[in-house]
Amino acid sequence: MSADLTDPIHRNWVWRTLQLVFQNVFVFCLKYRARGIEQLPEGGALFLINHQSFLDPMLVGLPLKRPVSFLARDSLFQVPVVGWVLKNTYAMPINRESAGTDSIRKSVAKLEQGFYVGMFPEGTRSTDGQLGVLKPGFLALVRRSNVPVIPVGIAGANAAFPKGSLIVQLASVCVVFGKPIDVETVAALSKKGREQEFMELVQVRLSACVQEAETWRSGTW
């Protein structure tokens, strides 16, 4: 049975099956919760997500009725089982030697097709769960696409699957989808000469989502 990877709105059977499995596992083991989904746009959008663990792509896609496309190293596509899953769950392979231009080109193509595309602007996983300084690589992508930007905050993933760990730990995980930064604002602030203003806006909005997720996770709300 083939898995359709061309529809940006409807999940294929592989995505649906894995989503159902992980929903049950994560809700039970991680007390997984997410909110803000009702704010997401109907067309394509760029998710800018804080990076805490290798679980992050799954945590973001878990509550959605649409697929999310993430970048993955091309070498992973050759790994048994893992490669098959990636090939059938909208992942975009990139070569490290041409990662910059290749990732932009493939991400723009997905956004133009109407997909949600996920990126981690910190560039690496956090060691302490705190949001790091964002790298400007995503600016080239937003300049070439005409889509809103969605800040997405994750809290607790670093405790559930910390750097260097081989197994998932019992921990509470929350995800907050923030208010979209609309197309007009993205277009105006991502222009040359206003990059710093845009970077600061994204940093503030993403930090607010992470803090909200952490506060929710801690049970103070």
Side-chain angles (χ1 to χ4, degrees):
M1 182 185 297
S2 61
D4 181 19
L5 299 171
T6 62
D7 189 342
I9 304 300
H10 303 98
R11 301 154 292 176
N12 64 24
W13 70 270
V14 178
W15 182 281
R16 283 176 174 270
T17 301
L18 292 174
Q19 190 177 38
L20 180 62
V21 171
F22 283 114
Q23 279 175 342
N24 283 285
V25 172
F26 285 179
V27 169
F28 177 75
C29 295
L30 306 181
K31 299 180 182 178
Y32 176 87
R33 291 172 291 173
R35 65 182 174 206
I37 301 168
E38 71 284 351
Q39 304 179 95
L40 299 181
E42 295 183 359
L46 176 64
F47 291 177
L48 295 181
I49 312 154
N50 68 307
H51 202 5
Q52 292 194 344
S53 85
F54 286 137
L55 297 178
D56 295 342
M58 289 182 284
L59 296 171
V60 171
L62 206 63
L64 305 181
K65 294 183 178 180
R66 290 178 53 180
V68 184
S69 188
F70 288 92
L71 294 163
R73 294 197 311 272
D74 56 358
S75 59
L76 293 175
F77 286 72
Q78 307 306 316
V79 179
V81 182
V82 172
W84 183 87
V85 170
L86 290 174
K87 290 174 184 176
N88 290 282
T89 52
Y90 311 91
M92 298 176 283
I94 59 167
N95 187 300
R96 280 188 171 183
E97 295 180 1
S98 60
T101 55
D102 194 30
S103 62
I104 292 172
R105 179 177 58 81
K106 289 180 177 178
S107 297
V108 168
K110 283 287 187 181
L111 290 168
E112 288 178 344
Q113 293 173 40
F115 275 92
Y116 288 159
V117 171
M119 289 187 69
F120 302 101
E122 292 165 283
T124 187
R125 286 169 291 157
S126 169
T127 56
D128 59 4
Q130 299 298 310
L131 178 66
V133 176
L134 308 186
K135 297 183 177 179
F138 67 90
L139 286 173
L141 176 55
V142 298
R143 285 179 182 139
R144 292 178 57 181
S145 55
N146 187 39
V147 298
V149 169
I150 317 294
V152 183
I154 298 173
N158 59 307
F161 197 49
K163 215 169 184 178
S165 177
L166 297 178
I167 59 173
V168 176
Q169 314 288 325
L170 294 178
S172 176
V173 175
C174 290
V175 177
V176 171
F177 294 84
K179 182 180 178 181
I181 303 175
D182 61 70
V183 172
E184 293 75 20
T185 301
V186 172
L189 296 186
S190 61
K191 291 179 180 178
K192 290 188 177 180
R194 303 189 71 180
E195 298 98 330
Q196 189 58 38
E197 189 178 351
F198 184 60
M199 291 289 294
E200 290 174 358
L201 173 64
V202 174
Q203 184 91 32
V204 168
R205 296 282 288 272
L206 182 52
S207 179
C209 290
V210 175
Q211 183 57 54
E212 182 179 339
E214 184 57 49
T215 303
W216 188 21
R217 174 178 178 261
S218 66
T220 57
W221 279 14

